[in-house]
Coordinates of all heavy atoms in Angstrom, one line a residue:
P72 N 11.7 3.6 13.2 CA 12.7 4.6 13.2 C 13.0 5.2 11.8 O 13.1 4.4 10.8 CB 14.0 3.9 13.7 CG 13.4 2.7 14.5 CD 12.2 2.3 13.8
G73 N 12.9 6.5 11.6 CA 13.2 7.1 10.3 C 12.0 7.2 9.4 O 12.1 7.6 8.3
Q74 N 10.8 6.7 9.9 CA 9.7 6.7 9.0 C 9.2 8.1 8.7 O 9.5 9.0 9.5 CB 8.5 5.9 9.5 CG 7.6 6.6 10.5 CD 6.4 5.8 10.9 OE1 6.4 4.6 11.0 NE2 5.3 6.5 11.1
R75 N 8.5 8.3 7.6 CA 7.8 9.5 7.3 C 6.3 9.1 7.0 O 6.1 8.1 6.3 CB 8.4 10.2 6.1 CG 9.7 10.8 6.3 CD 10.1 11.7 5.2 NE 11.0 11.0 4.3 CZ 11.4 11.4 3.1 NH1 10.9 12.5 2.6 NH2 12.2 10.7 2.4
M76 N 5.4 9.9 7.4 CA 4.0 9.5 7.2 C 3.1 10.8 7.2 O 3.3 11.6 8.1 CB 3.5 8.5 8.2 CG 2.2 7.9 7.9 SD 1.9 6.4 8.9 CE 0.6 7.0 10.0
L77 N 2.3 10.9 6.2 CA 1.3 12.0 6.1 C -0.1 11.5 5.9 O -0.2 10.6 5.1 CB 1.7 12.9 4.9 CG 3.1 13.6 4.9 CD1 3.4 14.2 3.6 CD2 3.2 14.6 6.1
V78 N -1.0 12.0 6.7 CA -2.4 11.5 6.6 C -3.3 12.8 6.4 O -3.3 13.7 7.2 CB -2.8 10.7 7.8 CG1 -4.3 10.4 7.7 CG2 -2.0 9.5 8.0
L79 N -4.0 12.8 5.3 CA -4.9 13.9 5.0 C -6.2 13.8 5.9 O -6.8 12.7 5.9 CB -5.3 13.9 3.5 CG -5.9 15.1 2.9 CD1 -5.0 16.3 3.0 CD2 -6.3 14.8 1.4
P80 N -6.5 14.8 6.6 CA -7.7 14.7 7.5 C -9.0 14.3 6.6 O -9.2 14.8 5.5 CB -7.9 16.1 8.0 CG -6.5 16.7 7.9 CD -5.9 16.1 6.7
R81 N -9.8 13.4 7.1 CA -10.9 12.8 6.4 C -11.9 13.9 5.9 O -12.4 13.7 4.8 CB -11.6 11.7 7.1 CG -10.6 10.4 7.2 CD -9.9 10.2 5.9 NE -9.1 9.0 5.9 CZ -7.8 8.9 5.6 NH1 -7.2 10.0 5.3 NH2 -7.2 7.8 5.6
P82 N -12.2 15.0 6.7 CA -13.1 16.0 6.1 C -12.5 16.6 4.8 O -13.2 16.9 3.9 CB -13.2 17.0 7.2 CG -12.9 16.2 8.5 CD -11.9 15.2 8.1
R83 N -11.1 16.8 4.8 CA -10.5 17.3 3.6 C -10.6 16.3 2.4 O -10.8 16.7 1.3 CB -9.0 17.7 3.8 CG -8.8 18.8 4.8 CD -9.2 20.1 4.3 NE -8.2 20.5 3.3 CZ -8.4 21.5 2.5 NH1 -9.5 22.2 2.5 NH2 -7.4 21.8 1.6
V84 N -10.5 15.0 2.7 CA -10.7 14.0 1.7 C -12.1 14.1 1.1 O -12.2 14.2 -0.2 CB -10.4 12.6 2.2 CG1 -10.8 11.5 1.2 CG2 -9.0 12.4 2.6
R85 N -13.1 14.2 1.9 CA -14.5 14.3 1.4 C -14.6 15.6 0.6 O -15.2 15.6 -0.5 CB -15.4 14.3 2.6 CG -15.6 12.9 3.2 CD -16.8 12.9 4.2 NE -16.5 13.7 5.4 CZ -15.8 13.2 6.4 NH1 -15.3 12.0 6.4 NH2 -15.6 14.0 7.5
E86 N -14.0 16.7 1.0 CA -14.1 17.9 0.3 C -13.4 17.8 -1.1 O -14.0 18.2 -2.1 CB -13.4 19.0 1.1 CG -13.3 20.4 0.4 CD -12.4 21.4 1.2 OE1 -12.3 21.2 2.4 OE2 -11.8 22.3 0.6
F87 N -12.2 17.2 -1.1 CA -11.5 17.1 -2.4 C -12.3 16.1 -3.4 O -12.3 16.3 -4.6 CB -10.1 16.6 -2.2 CG -9.2 17.6 -1.6 CD1 -8.2 17.1 -0.7 CD2 -9.3 18.9 -1.8 CE1 -7.4 18.1 -0.1 CE2 -8.4 19.8 -1.2 CZ -7.5 19.4 -0.4
L88 N -12.9 15.1 -2.8 CA -13.7 14.2 -3.7 C -14.9 14.8 -4.2 O -15.5 14.2 -5.1 CB -14.0 12.9 -2.9 CG -12.8 11.9 -2.7 CD1 -13.1 10.8 -1.8 CD2 -12.3 11.4 -4.0
N89 N -15.3 15.9 -3.7 CA -16.5 16.6 -4.2 C -16.2 17.9 -5.0 O -17.1 18.6 -5.4 CB -17.5 17.0 -3.1 CG -18.1 15.7 -2.5 OD1 -18.7 14.9 -3.3 ND2 -18.0 15.5 -1.2
Q90 N -14.9 18.2 -5.2 CA -14.5 19.4 -5.9 C -14.1 19.1 -7.4 O -13.4 18.1 -7.6 CB -13.2 20.0 -5.3 CG -13.5 21.0 -4.2 CD -12.2 21.5 -3.6 OE1 -12.3 22.2 -2.7 NE2 -11.0 21.3 -4.1
P91 N -14.5 20.0 -8.3 CA -14.0 19.8 -9.7 C -12.4 19.9 -9.6 O -11.9 20.7 -8.9 CB -14.5 21.0 -10.4 CG -15.7 21.5 -9.6 CD -15.4 21.1 -8.2
G92 N -11.8 19.1 -10.4 CA -10.3 19.1 -10.5 C -9.7 18.1 -9.6 O -8.6 17.6 -9.9
T93 N -10.3 17.8 -8.4 CA -9.7 16.8 -7.5 C -10.6 15.7 -7.2 O -10.3 14.8 -6.5 CB -9.3 17.5 -6.1 OG1 -10.4 18.1 -5.6 CG2 -8.2 18.5 -6.3
A94 N -11.8 15.7 -7.8 CA -12.8 14.7 -7.6 C -12.5 13.3 -8.0 O -13.0 12.3 -7.6 CB -14.2 15.1 -8.2
R95 N -11.6 13.2 -9.0 CA -11.3 11.9 -9.6 C -10.2 11.1 -8.8 O -10.2 9.8 -8.9 CB -10.9 12.0 -11.0 CG -12.0 12.6 -11.9 CD -13.1 11.6 -12.0 NE -14.2 12.1 -12.7 CZ -15.5 11.9 -12.4 NH1 -15.7 11.2 -11.3 NH2 -16.4 12.4 -13.0
L96 N -9.3 11.7 -8.1 CA -8.3 11.0 -7.4 C -7.7 11.8 -6.3 O -7.2 13.0 -6.6 CB -7.1 10.6 -8.4 CG -6.0 9.8 -7.8 CD1 -6.4 8.5 -7.3 CD2 -4.8 9.7 -8.8

Side-chain angles (χ1 to χ4, degrees):
Q74 86 171 35
R75 290 191 260 168
M76 190 164 111
L77 300 170
V78 177
L79 197 59
R81 292 317 184 236
R83 296 287 289 165
V84 170
R85 285 189 294 279
E86 176 186 333
F87 290 145
L88 286 171
N89 288 307
Q90 268 182 188
T93 56
R95 296 291 175 220
L96 177 69

